[in-house]
Amino acid sequence: MKKKILAGLLTVSACFTLGSTSFAASAPTTTPDSTPVANVATSQEISTKGTFDQIIVHMDSGTWRYIPGFLELIFNDGAIELYEDGWVRAVQYGASTIFSYDQYGNIVAYTILVDRN
């Protein structure tokens, strides 16, 4: 049984090897279009387009806080309630993470820790 499987695998690999070389020999060679150096962004320019900051917020249960930007709730264990208008209400002891995006590509990660009363 093992010999049949081994023979089958060798046959399949031989077919791929023979097939790939015949296609490689007939493929036309072309050169890609070149881009002028003035239009290529450097790594320094790319890195300054957006920033990433992290802010840790301590809140007591029942308090409110406004977070600006387009918000995405990443993690919540029931500690907060996030409203569509950007307001956050601390509900109970726990933690949550919210990402806030702005139109310039900046991201702020808010880690909200609701303290015990």
Side-chain angles (χ1 to χ4, degrees):
M1 181 70 182
K2 290 181 183 180
K3 290 181 182 180
K4 289 182 181 181
I5 293 174
L6 183 59
L9 289 174
L10 290 174
T11 305
V12 170
S13 66
C15 289
F16 282 128
T17 304
L18 292 175
S20 65
T21 55
S22 63
F23 290 117
S26 63
T29 57
T30 59
T31 58
D33 295 333
S34 61
T35 304
V37 175
N39 295 339
V40 177
T42 63
S43 62
Q44 185 178 14
E45 291 172 348
I46 293 171
S47 66
T48 60
K49 289 187 179 184
T51 61
F52 180 83
D53 293 319
Q54 184 176 10
I55 298 174
I56 298 175
V57 179
H58 291 273
M59 296 177 69
D60 291 326
S61 182
T63 58
W64 291 79
R65 180 181 175 113
Y66 177 74
I67 299 178
F70 175 75
L71 304 179
E72 180 181 3
L73 184 62
I74 302 298
F75 170 78
N76 186 15
D77 63 357
I80 65 164
E81 290 178 354
L82 177 63
Y83 295 90
E84 291 180 10
D85 58 358
W87 285 97
V88 175
R89 181 170 73 110
V91 178
Q92 65 182 7
Y93 173 75
S96 65
T97 301
I98 300 172
F99 278 11
S100 172
Y101 303 93
D102 67 5
Q103 68 269 21
Y104 304 109
N106 300 318
I107 302 171
V108 179
Y110 290 92
T111 301
I112 300 175
L113 304 173
V114 179
D115 299 326
R116 293 183 193 256
N117 288 340

